[in-house]
Amino acid sequence: MSGNEMKYIQEAFNSNWIAPLGSNVDAFEKEMADYVGANGAVAVNSGTAAIHLALILLNVKKGDTVFCSSLTFVASANPILYEGAEPVFIDSEPETWNMSPNALERAFQEACENNQLPKAVIIVNLFGQSAKMDELALICKRYGVPIIEDSAESLGSAYKGKASGTFGEFGIFSFNGNKIITTSGGGMLVSDNVEALEKARFLITQAKDKAPYYQHSERGYNYRLSNISAGIGRAQLEVLNSRIAARRNVYQLYEQELGNVPGITFMPELENTFSNRWLTALMIDERVRGVTVRELITALEEENIEARHVWKPMHMQPLFEGCKYYKHNENDNISEQLFRSGICLPSSSSLTVEEQMRVVECIGNKRKIFMR
């Protein structure tokens, strides 16, 4: 917490607005829209809800297909199933670890030949790094298919000076407890389409018709963010830039200490992009280091240090067995390579240099984990 959250929480209590509406909600939406440079924003109770709303607003229905990054958390893809649509998963490319323009182009070509273009493309900005939005947006524009930019992990990141989450028809952010700023649980839908955002506000409050009694003509949802949570978000947004600076410092120290170790390769930052470095992720070459990612994670656990695998790709998940998947190219399956060799290190904004150096010592040659 930043230390300023209680001011906004107390305002909610003093005004007796603790429900999912109030001055904090209104202000948080405006402040978020202003921060990323969007025309508007709608605060919701999770990033998953924001993706679901985007799909609804794009009229995704049963029998439709939606292209989606494969290397991501399941929340990117689950909402596709909510609407009865079918996900088609797209591989990553090595320069950003995000959606491959090559794979996306092939997926579109085949979909066009089969007269079954997707209703939307969900592009994920993994671990804070923006995807190759110019190339991906050009492909989507050529086929007339809108983009949902999943920026759950990339608030404060930028691509060629433009804020993450503002390249598609809709952008989504998450304020889950593990994100760079948090409302404990929450999310935000942003767009330049103000009319669509007003429709979203209608849907997330159970789609109540304008009538002197409770009347409902459409399916609605209980997705609104509470006034208390929005107050937490306002205080967190005030310190976002300092949190980003802290995460980038964490990455820089890791890279400084481990970047020259043979067999270790850090997640790149594409030229002309700015990553919030939400998580510091790297690849371990088992052939060089003589240790698997699982073995390294176990060794760190023995030192009471938590590290995690890179996301397991969606096309490898039992939930999505049988779904189509397009590789980066014929010989390279990038997302599977990243899953097998990728590891996420402790990256908290509050991580001290001493704590971080203990992680470095456990990974580097000093503790000889790689020599086991």
Side-chain angles (χ1 to χ4, degrees):
M1 294 290 99
S2 72
N4 206 28
E5 286 80 7
M6 286 307 301
K7 181 185 82 169
Y8 296 105
I9 293 172
Q10 194 61 51
E11 285 178 8
F13 275 89
N14 290 344
S15 65
N16 206 31
W17 285 104
I18 61 172
L21 73 165
S23 60
N24 280 333
V25 174
D26 296 340
F28 189 32
E29 290 176 341
K30 184 180 186 307
E31 289 158 6
M32 270 292 296
D34 289 345
Y35 184 87
V36 300
N39 282 347
V42 175
V44 291
N45 58 17
S46 69
T48 310
I51 295 175
H52 188 200
L53 283 168
L55 292 170
I56 293 168
L57 293 168
L58 292 174
N59 200 33
V60 172
K61 296 184 182 301
K62 185 176 181 179
D64 290 334
T65 58
V66 176
F67 292 175
C68 181
S69 301
S70 187
L71 189 64
T72 184
F73 181 52
V74 71
S76 302
N78 267 338
I80 301 170
L81 302 184
Y82 299 168
E83 291 305 302
E86 181 180 348
V88 174
F89 294 112
I90 311 298
D91 196 8
S92 301
E93 49 80 27
E95 291 184 301
T96 64
W97 295 18
N98 288 311
M99 185 178 283
S100 162
N102 293 343
L104 181 64
E105 180 66 57
R106 290 202 314 279
F108 264 118
Q109 288 173 354
E110 186 171 312
C112 192
E113 291 169 2
N114 295 330
N115 197 29
Q116 194 178 15
L117 288 174
K119 276 289 189 69
V121 177
I122 300 175
I123 300 172
V124 179
N125 297 321
L126 194 71
F127 301 148
Q129 171 58 48
S130 293
K132 292 182 174 179
M133 294 309 302
D134 278 354
E135 294 93 324
L136 295 170
L138 186 62
I139 295 168
C140 293
K141 183 178 180 180
R142 191 163 69 247
Y143 288 95
V145 176
I147 291 171
I148 300 170
E149 192 180 358
D150 182 349
S151 301
E153 303 171 2
S154 61
L155 177 59
S157 300
Y159 177 88
K160 296 185 177 180
K162 185 175 170 64
S164 178
T166 61
F167 286 84
E169 181 69 18
F170 298 102
I172 76 100
F173 298 98
S174 170
F175 309 119
N176 193 21
N178 64 349
K179 296 302 186 291
I180 198 159
I181 63 170
T182 183
T183 58
S184 77
M188 194 75 73
L189 180 72
V190 302
S191 180
D192 287 336
N193 188 337
V194 177
E195 184 179 347
L197 293 178
E198 284 305 310
K199 176 72 172 181
R201 287 192 178 89
F202 168 73
L203 293 173
I204 64 177
T205 51
Q206 299 293 11
K208 295 189 289 283
D209 292 343
K210 290 183 178 179
Y213 38 75
Y214 288 103
Q215 176 173 298
H216 307 273
S217 303
E218 295 184 53
R219 183 173 63 182
Y221 306 89
N222 185 16
Y223 279 172
R224 201 65 161 123
L225 188 70
S226 82
N227 201 41
I228 295 173
S229 295
I232 297 172
R234 294 184 68 190
Q236 290 274 295
L237 192 56
E238 291 172 351
V239 297
L240 173 58
N241 289 340
S242 65
R243 297 280 169 83
I244 293 171
R247 299 285 176 125
R248 289 181 65 86
N249 286 339
V250 166
Y251 166 81
Q252 287 165 7
L253 182 57
Y254 278 134
E255 202 277 335
Q256 172 187 307
E257 296 294 327
L258 298 170
N260 293 324
V261 176
I264 291 181
T265 307
F266 283 85
M267 182 182 188
E269 185 174 46
L270 188 69
E271 187 177 358
N272 291 324
T273 68
F274 177 85
S275 172
N276 67 14
R277 291 294 184 187
W278 174 59
L279 288 183
T280 293
L282 54 85
M283 296 176 66
I284 302 291
D285 189 331
E286 181 183 349
R287 296 166 299 179
V288 175
R289 300 305 331 161
V291 66
T292 66
V293 168
R294 181 68 253 169
E295 289 169 341
L296 179 55
I297 289 174
T298 300
L300 290 169
E301 284 175 351
E302 292 173 359
E303 300 293 334
N304 199 30
I305 295 170
E306 182 184 28
R308 295 190 180 185
H309 290 275
V310 166
W311 301 123
K312 183 177 182 179
M314 292 301 99
H315 72 274
M316 298 176 68
Q317 301 286 352
L319 174 63
F320 298 111
E321 185 177 358
C323 291
K324 286 185 178 179
Y325 169 64
Y326 290 85
K327 296 192 297 184
H328 177 57
N329 58 45
E330 186 177 343
N331 299 316
D332 294 313
N333 194 331
I334 303 299
S335 62
E336 291 189 17
Q337 294 173 21
L338 291 169
F339 171 58
R340 285 194 301 267
S341 59
I343 181 173
C344 299
L345 301 181
S347 306
S348 171
S349 305
S350 60
L351 196 67
T352 66
V353 172
E354 291 75 18
E355 290 169 335
Q356 196 174 353
M357 287 306 298
R358 196 163 70 85
V359 179
V360 169
E361 289 173 5
C362 288
I363 294 175
N365 291 328
K366 294 178 183 177
R367 297 293 287 272
K368 300 187 187 306
I369 283 177
F370 289 124
M371 303 302 179
R372 292 185 176 193

